[in-house]
Amino acid sequence: MYQERPSRIPGAVLWSRSADERRGRTTRVLPDGCMDLIWLGDVGLVVAGPDTRAHVVPGPAGAYVGLRFAPGWGPAVFGIPASELRDHRESLAVVDGAPDARALAERIAEAPDRAAVLEDFAARRLRRGSPDPVAAAAARRLRGGVGVAELARDLGLSDRQLHRRSVAAFGYGPKVLARVLRLRRALDLAYAGNPFADVAAAAGYADQAHLSREVRALAGLSLGELVGV
């Protein structure tokens, strides 16, 4: 069973997945512009970078817990540009050379509230530095559907400057982030039961065919397969 709840880290989400004994079961993780810190039991702590395509993972052998950071927040926690982990999963110890990564994983395993230990780690890291404020503004505006050219103008940046800061904060440029965030809007509308033609119009696609192409490119399945219709 998958569950999530808001975190005390701004914009972050705590999530957990209980053990599933059914062999062969997989999970399709769709792009969302986020980075995650995940405790995987005996495997330890893993950092999941921002995805540009669906990431299919096998079902867990045991329960695990994660902290998902809003777009642009991960680099402030992990101390590296998001682009270095694009479409990649890596041990926390390898990502930032954290000498206490193994001890942290053991502390999480023994804690009555594992999620709180992840939050404490992130809070300590964020006291050392904050996310790029331009990136936070960019993510907010792109989520609202603003165009990239308009965004750069409003932020007082050249297209090249916006792209460079976006790659460092999100793992890819603003156009890719806009596609990812638009996909999430479309999925929310589709899961709510809206007709796909209405989903396409409300989420900002040219038409339903455009929606279908984008969903297939980013998620690896059709919209109907994703929502089960």
Side-chain angles (χ1 to χ4, degrees), residues 26-227:
T26 60
T27 299
R28 181 174 295 267
V29 181
L30 303 184
D32 57 8
C34 300
M35 297 176 70
D36 293 58
L37 177 61
I38 310 169
W39 176 77
L40 291 174
D42 292 342
V43 175
L45 286 162
V46 172
V47 180
D51 293 322
T52 60
R53 58 185 182 275
H55 183 77
V56 179
V57 296
Y64 54 97
V65 63
L67 179 58
R68 179 178 304 119
F69 301 100
W73 282 72
V77 175
F78 303 118
I80 63 170
S83 56
E84 294 189 18
L85 285 170
R86 183 174 53 237
D87 293 318
H88 192 57
R89 274 72 178 148
E90 187 57 85
S91 163
L92 175 65
V94 173
V95 168
D96 65 359
D100 60 345
R102 182 173 180 178
L104 177 62
E106 292 174 350
R107 191 159 66 251
I108 293 172
E110 297 170 356
D113 185 350
R114 293 167 175 166
V117 182
L118 288 178
E119 288 182 304
D120 289 343
F121 170 81
R124 289 196 302 272
R125 292 301 182 91
L126 288 169
R127 284 195 288 269
R128 304 188 314 193
S130 301
D132 181 351
V134 167
R140 184 172 60 253
R141 298 291 305 283
L142 289 171
R143 188 176 287 109
V146 70
V148 173
E150 179 183 350
L151 174 64
R153 183 174 62 252
D154 290 348
L155 294 176
L157 300 173
S158 67
D159 290 347
R160 181 175 298 180
Q161 289 172 323
L162 177 60
H163 187 271
R164 183 176 66 250
R165 292 176 76 160
S166 294
V167 168
F170 310 127
Y172 30 65
K175 290 183 179 180
V176 175
L177 180 62
R179 290 177 63 204
V180 167
L181 296 177
R182 183 172 58 186
L183 170 69
R184 306 307 302 198
R185 291 199 301 274
L187 289 175
D188 287 343
L189 291 166
Y191 281 124
N194 293 285
F196 290 173
D198 294 346
V199 170
Y205 293 93
D207 51 31
Q208 190 172 338
H210 181 206
L211 166 66
S212 297
R213 290 194 301 272
E214 282 289 276
V215 171
R216 177 72 69 173
L218 293 170
L221 295 175
S222 70
L223 185 56
E225 290 171 315
L226 287 173
V227 301

